[in-house]
Amino acid sequence: MTASDKGTKASRRAFLKGALAAGGTVAGAGAARASGDPLITETQPWAQYLGEGVDATPYGMPIRFEDDVVRRNVEWLTADTISSINFTPIHALDGTITPQGCAFERHHSGAIELRKQDYRLMINGLVDQPLVFTYDDLERFPREQHVYFCECAANTGMEWAGAQLNGAQFTHGMIHNMEYTGVPLRTLLEEAGVQTEGKWVFVEGADASSNGRSIPMDKALDDVLVAFKANGEALRKEHGYPVRLVVPGWEGNMWVKWLRRVEVTDGPVESREETSKYTDTLADGTSRKWTWEMDAKSVVTSPSPQSPIKHGPGPLVITGLAWSGRGAITQVDVSIDGGKNWQTARLAAPGQDKALARFYLDIEWDGSEMLLQSRAHDSTGYVQPTKDALREIRGENSIYHNNGIQTWWVNSDGEAENVEVS
Amino acid sequence: MSKSLNLCGGAAFGLAGLLGTVAHAEPAASDGPYGLGREALPEEIAAWNHEVMPDGTGLPEGAGSVEEGEMLFSEKCAVCHGDFAEGVGNWPPLAGGEDTLADKDPVKTVGSYWPYLSTAWDYVHRSMPYGNAQTLSDDEVYAIVAYILYSNYLVEYDFTLTKDNFLDVEMPNADGFIVDDREETEFPTFTQEPCMSDCKDEVEITMRAAVLDVTPEEESEGEDQASAEQAQEAAAGEGAAAAEPESEPLDMALVEQGEKVFRQCQACHMVGDGAKHRVGPHLNDVMGRKLGGAEDFRYSNTIVEMGESGTTWNEETLAKLLEDPMGYIKGTKMAFGGLRKEEDIAAVTEYLKSFSQ
């Protein structure tokens, strides 16, 4: 990190402090002043002149005041931005559905442009009849809709050896949650006729990496979806337009984008993405493979380092996200004292299978420092463990599948920092 | 215009379809429950069905020696992976790391970690070289994999890898993997009723992210943004003033075309605002720059010598490079086969001009 970077950081910190102070003043003005709040007592330009007409933006973007709510990249993580990852700004979002435009991206050979007219999906291998589908063919099969989260196996991976990145976006932002429309993979496999020796499928994409992965047949016939719409509209280029695989609850690397081929095989291919990567090395040097399910996990998204408390003591909304790749979220506990005591948070809606749940804990903040934590429970009875409990079993060399409890240290000014606690 | 194009396309397609029926039968429709899709033809399956299984299923006939692999590796792979497969910068090393898997920060390479050689063959064949995938012949893949084995001390220099001896190569970490055992090793502990109150006596902060200070900066709304906008306006003002004299106007259509062609270059080169050196040097203000002239970039010797003898980048020299990088600059690290079309070369040149003053 260069000196000038540090300079920027200093000015940002100073700015945040300034904003806190300014917030105080504004609140004072809003409350009472002899002459009244000019935003109320004086006619404002937006109340006098006309706004934009329809069609000013045929496809709308968020208003410019929200232009800091964007995906961000951690440059030092990867060699370049083409085989790389960025992070969803979860610290600034609410609800559970992730807008496509700020949902994290992970590419192995860059995001390609593939037209629907040029799209072909092949089913081959141990099938009665190998088939080719066009995009139009896919739209003629019966469709389903489901909301699922997609989490990269490496989400929170930088935090195994200790607190590293200062922001929920960076520690937990390799996740998004969308409503998918698509055809069950089962339907397409039945169209081709799976032979009895077929125990696995190998799925690959049309990009230069092809990112091939092996999926056991039980899962392929269960809930895997060949999706072409997300949140009601076409998939974005960066998420695999026109067609991607949705593998509910399982690590994001298996959600092959630009899906071009599904081969029925009698065994796993043991491709690069399932041997040299996405395997979990334990303390003794042996590695777990086929660690597909994403265990229950949660994080407080606000307050958090990028979303400090700006209003001082009084009513405070603590909120966050919880999810499990093995079922639905049934309960989330929140601690403000680093795990000594826990309160059960309110779920905005009952947890859905393999989808994000939003939780809230509304407290009266007394202005003293807090060590904020959250802890997810899922429908299998699994309770999110501490990082220490995970490290006791796995050591610190696991890059992937870190679902340990996250701690934010909130100081009396309302600023938060990523820490670990005893 | 587009209408007539469509008509032509339609006619051509119709003709091809007609010829197709003469040559061989149309692919069969699906026999499945919905009758959607059509039968995949053998040549189509052959074109996409590439994977190689751990038992060698899928390997084509072929052979490649360590010696051939060394040449190919230096030409096509070393720019990212290093001459000895040791890795450059953040690009992955492919060799070394033996006996480090139980250490803090294990070094995972083909030699130290990968359980199956089939994975290396499959991956090189389908995805490498980075930015120019699926251009290696089967023999070249055998040779490159042989060289990776050699750089891991797993075979001797006179070794030749073939389909027949492929399974004889012993991978050191072949037995290093177990199937996910979380249900046995973790679930009993993590499904117990959790503590809700007075769970521990004391809580201390044991580690802070701010101490490490590795989080990327972000611009805050408000002041920072305003100053950034001012800076941009100021920069735009300067640009407008500087752009007026001498320089010829750019052909913006060509620039746009060049931007698309430049995607092939992006794996290694950055251009535009904030461009930095990557595998290759940044290309801002490249026109008029002497060869090998970007500061703080480690060039190969030849290009530096060419620059020192007075050669600069202009339309002519750039065209020579883009046509045949390795022919124009002997020993260059630029592992790119060159652009085949003259119009692509002109487009990229125009595109780069748009980033040169």
Side-chain angles (χ1 to χ4, degrees):
Chain A
M1 182 144 289
T2 64
S4 67
D5 284 339
K6 292 212 166 154
T8 325
K9 172 163 255 173
S11 71
R12 176 181 152 239
R13 293 258 154 82
F15 169 71
L16 282 175
K17 286 215 175 78
L20 290 171
T25 328
V26 171
R33 201 197 277 170
S35 54
D37 183 346
L39 284 168
I40 298 169
T41 57
E42 292 169 16
T43 303
Q44 299 297 321
W46 56 82
Q48 181 179 356
Y49 305 117
L50 302 176
E52 265 177 350
V54 297
D55 286 353
T57 46
Y59 192 101
M61 293 290 287
I63 195 164
R64 60 194 170 97
F65 312 125
E66 297 294 317
D67 65 4
D68 59 330
V69 183
V70 290
R71 299 183 276 231
R72 286 198 169 81
N73 168 28
V74 176
E75 235 174 65
W76 55 263
L77 273 180
T78 51
D80 74 347
T81 57
I82 290 171
S83 179
S84 189
I85 191 151
N86 60 17
F87 300 82
T88 308
I90 54 171
H91 64 286
L93 302 177
D94 210 320
T96 56
I97 294 294
T98 315
Q100 293 199 74
C102 66
F104 85 98
E105 308 166 75
R106 174 33 166 154
H107 316 307
H108 291 76
S109 290
I112 58 165
E113 267 185 14
L114 178 56
R115 303 188 310 165
K116 284 178 183 169
Q117 301 94 298
D118 299 334
Y119 179 78
R120 298 290 183 273
L121 174 62
M122 182 186 289
I123 312 259
N124 73 308
L126 299 169
V127 292
D128 296 334
Q129 186 189 28
L131 293 175
V132 172
F133 301 114
T134 61
Y135 181 85
D136 291 343
D137 291 334
L138 293 183
E139 284 201 332
R140 297 176 65 192
F141 286 99
R143 282 172 227 168
E144 291 186 5
Q145 266 148 46
H146 299 276
V147 176
Y148 293 121
F149 76 82
C150 170
E151 183 185 18
C152 176
N155 198 19
T156 325
M158 292 81 75
E159 306 292 311
W160 267 113
Q164 270 217 68
L165 288 164
N166 215 10
Q169 178 170 23
F170 303 112
T171 56
H172 290 76
M174 294 181 192
I175 191 163
H176 56 61
N177 191 62
M178 301 189 195
E179 183 205 59
Y180 293 98
T181 304
V183 178
L185 179 56
R186 181 193 335 111
T187 307
L188 302 182
L189 288 170
E190 283 166 1
E191 189 71 9
V194 174
Q195 296 176 349
T196 46
E197 318 89 87
K199 300 291 183 226
W200 293 72
V201 293
F202 182 64
V203 289
E204 66 183 26
D207 63 318
S209 81
S210 75
N211 195 76
R213 289 290 307 248
S214 309
I215 298 175
M217 188 59 78
D218 286 351
K219 180 71 175 177
L221 295 177
D222 181 17
D223 55 3
V224 176
L225 210 57
V226 175
F228 38 81
K229 293 276 163 69
N231 299 345
E233 59 182 357
L235 292 166
R236 294 286 165 91
K237 173 177 79 173
E238 62 268 34
H239 300 130
Y241 178 93
V243 177
R244 86 171 304 167
L245 202 64
V246 168
V247 190
W250 289 22
E251 61 190 16
N253 181 256
M254 309 178 86
W255 295 47
V256 171
K257 300 189 288 188
W258 314 289
L259 181 72
R260 82 165 188 188
R261 197 170 69 95
V262 177
E263 180 181 356
V264 177
T265 58
D266 57 0
V269 168
E270 304 281 6
S271 71
R272 173 191 186 258
E273 304 299 326
E274 55 204 20
T275 55
S276 79
K277 306 286 172 189
Y278 303 99
T279 45
D280 306 77
T281 301
L282 304 170
D284 69 357
T286 58
S287 304
R288 287 177 181 160
K289 66 174 182 179
W290 305 352
T291 44
W292 301 306
E293 289 96 342
M294 302 305 293
D295 285 325
K297 185 166 168 179
S298 68
V299 64
V300 170
T301 52
S302 180
S304 66
Q306 298 161 288
S307 179
I309 306 169
K310 294 181 181 174
H311 52 59
L316 169 69
V317 175
I318 297 171
T319 185
L321 293 166
W323 61 95
S324 168
R326 298 184 193 265
I329 290 297
T330 53
Q331 180 181 331
V332 179
D333 307 321
V334 171
S335 172
I336 60 172
D337 58 10
K340 278 190 206 169
N341 298 287
W342 296 86
Q343 306 172 63
T344 299
R346 174 167 59 89
L347 292 181
Q352 290 183 60
D353 194 36
K354 301 170 185 126
L356 290 191
R358 168 67 59 180
F359 65 85
Y360 297 106
L361 184 71
D362 307 296
I363 67 163
E364 192 71 18
W365 183 43
D366 63 6
S368 59
E369 68 172 42
M370 296 185 282
L371 290 166
L372 273 183
Q373 298 184 332
S374 63
R375 182 171 73 186
H377 302 232
D378 76 14
S379 48
T380 69
Y382 182 99
V383 182
Q384 183 183 2
T386 62
K387 260 203 250 182
D388 279 338
L390 282 174
R391 286 190 288 229
E392 207 165 290
I393 296 169
R394 302 190 200 167
E396 289 182 11
N397 285 338
S398 268
I399 299 165
Y400 307 102
H401 301 285
N402 180 357
N403 66 316
I405 289 172
Q406 172 66 44
T407 311
W408 305 128
W409 177 30
V410 182
N411 69 20
S412 54
D413 290 334
E415 291 178 339
E417 183 183 335
N418 176 10
V419 297
E420 285 195 6
V421 294
S422 58
Chain B
M1 177 68 191
S2 67
K3 205 169 196 177
S4 68
L5 267 180
N6 277 341
L7 285 173
C8 291
F13 180 79
L15 192 61
L18 205 62
L19 289 173
T21 33
V22 174
H24 57 78
E26 285 287 306
S30 159
D31 295 335
Y34 293 96
L36 292 172
R38 56 143 179 107
E39 185 155 28
L41 299 173
E43 54 267 43
E44 292 172 333
I45 296 172
W48 277 5
N49 196 90
H50 284 161
E51 81 279 358
V52 177
M53 307 288 270
D55 67 0
T57 305
L59 276 175
E61 296 298 334
S65 69
V66 172
E67 195 177 350
E68 289 156 350
E70 186 176 28
M71 297 278 291
L72 288 162
F73 197 88
S74 136
E75 191 184 309
K76 296 173 187 288
C77 321
V79 63
C80 296
H81 296 295
D83 280 333
F84 306 101
E86 76 280 14
V88 174
N90 247 350
W91 298 102
L94 307 179
E98 60 272 29
D99 301 325
T100 65
L101 295 182
D103 299 352
K104 196 174 163 58
D105 301 324
V107 179
K108 297 179 176 181
T109 69
V110 176
S112 71
Y113 194 63
W114 295 34
Y116 305 104
L117 188 59
S118 57
T119 311
W121 202 100
D122 179 273
Y123 187 69
V124 172
H125 182 234
R126 71 168 66 227
S127 299
M128 292 287 118
Y130 188 64
N132 201 19
Q134 303 191 57
T135 54
L136 298 170
S137 71
D138 293 343
D139 286 345
E140 286 178 327
V141 177
Y142 276 107
I144 287 170
V145 173
Y147 180 71
I148 295 170
L149 288 172
Y150 171 75
S151 60
N152 278 289
Y153 307 109
L154 296 175
V155 298
E156 300 296 326
Y157 192 73
D158 59 4
F159 178 76
T160 295
L161 184 67
T162 69
K163 185 185 176 187
D164 299 322
N165 65 9
F166 198 85
L167 294 179
D168 299 338
V169 178
E170 284 182 25
M171 299 298 279
N173 197 39
D175 299 325
F177 291 80
I178 55 169
V179 172
D180 184 6
D181 63 353
R182 283 177 290 178
E183 287 195 27
E184 298 86 61
T185 54
E186 299 185 0
F187 283 19
T189 314
F190 300 158
T191 50
Q192 287 170 16
E193 195 62 34
C195 171
M196 291 301 285
S197 55
D198 299 323
C199 304
K200 42 193 175 185
D201 297 332
E202 263 184 273
V203 175
E204 273 175 31
I205 291 172
T206 53
M207 189 160 182
R208 298 179 51 186
V211 175
L212 265 175
D213 198 14
V214 291
T215 310
E217 295 304 323
E218 60 191 81
E219 281 168 28
S220 308
E221 59 212 290
E223 290 170 28
D224 285 9
Q225 198 174 306
S227 60
E229 275 168 19
Q230 278 166 11
Q232 258 173 15
E233 275 165 30
E238 278 168 34
E244 276 166 36
E246 79 230 68
S247 59
E248 283 172 47
L250 292 165
D251 176 345
M252 289 318 288
L254 199 55
V255 168
E256 208 169 297
Q257 206 182 322
E259 186 179 0
K260 291 200 183 105
V261 181
F262 190 75
R263 285 184 198 151
Q264 298 176 55
C265 321
Q266 273 172 347
C268 300
H269 292 287
M270 289 178 80
V271 70
D273 277 351
K276 285 180 290 200
H277 299 320
R278 273 177 158 172
V279 171
H282 79 75
L283 299 177
N284 286 345
D285 291 324
V286 73
M287 301 307 274
R289 188 201 282 173
K290 67 177 184 182
L291 270 66
E295 276 180 33
D296 301 326
F297 185 79
R298 273 187 58 201
Y299 287 97
S300 60
N301 294 335
T302 320
I303 188 170
V304 173
E305 284 162 18
M306 288 166 85
E308 279 168 359
S309 69
T311 313
T312 57
W313 289 120
N314 52 39
E315 284 184 19
E316 191 192 341
T317 50
L318 208 51
K320 283 184 187 163
L321 175 85
L322 290 171
E323 198 183 342
D324 181 10
M326 286 168 265
Y328 183 55
I329 303 168
K330 302 277 179 274
T332 182
K333 290 189 283 181
M334 182 163 159
F336 181 64
L339 293 170
R340 266 164 254 158
K341 293 189 205 154
E342 260 176 46
E343 57 174 287
D344 284 351
I345 292 175
V348 168
T349 306
E350 197 73 359
Y351 179 65
L352 290 176
K353 273 194 213 163
S354 74
F355 295 100
S356 294
Q357 297 223 334

